[in-house]
Amino acid sequence: MPRANADDAENALRSYCSLRRTRAHKVQRLAASNGQRYHFGGLNEMVRNNVMRIMGGTRLLRHYDWIYGWRPPETL
């Protein structure tokens, strides 16, 4: 995507919105999935807890690096 002129707020905002849309949708899908996953009960809850225990905290957090490690692009 071409870089918007820094003095052109309308095009800069349009570029920003375009860049973030795919990422925002991916975050929404993950949140919806986690909303179900983390509210399991019974056998599914036990399986989920054991899988998470086996994976360990570091590996679980690495699964979310694409969210928490994200940095905005240098230029738009």
Side-chain angles (χ1 to χ4, degrees):
M1 174 169 295
R3 181 173 180 205
N5 183 332
D7 295 327
D8 187 352
E10 183 179 346
N11 280 332
L13 183 58
R14 190 175 293 116
S15 293
Y16 168 76
C17 288
S18 177
L19 289 171
R20 72 176 285 281
R21 184 170 287 117
T22 300
R23 179 181 163 74
H25 287 171
K26 186 176 177 182
V27 170
Q28 288 174 329
R29 285 189 306 272
L30 179 63
S33 174
N34 283 345
Q36 293 175 353
R37 179 180 303 124
Y38 291 116
H39 289 91
F40 285 150
L43 181 59
N44 287 335
E45 177 184 20
M46 291 188 321
V47 170
R48 178 206 59 219
N49 291 348
N50 284 327
V51 167
M52 291 174 70
R53 191 175 297 110
I54 290 167
M55 287 179 71
T58 301
R59 189 165 167 206
L60 285 170
L61 287 175
R62 221 177 306 139
H63 178 72
Y64 298 102
D65 278 352
W66 67 272
I67 297 174
Y68 300 116
W70 182 84
R71 297 295 176 263
E74 294 286 326
T75 59
L76 289 178

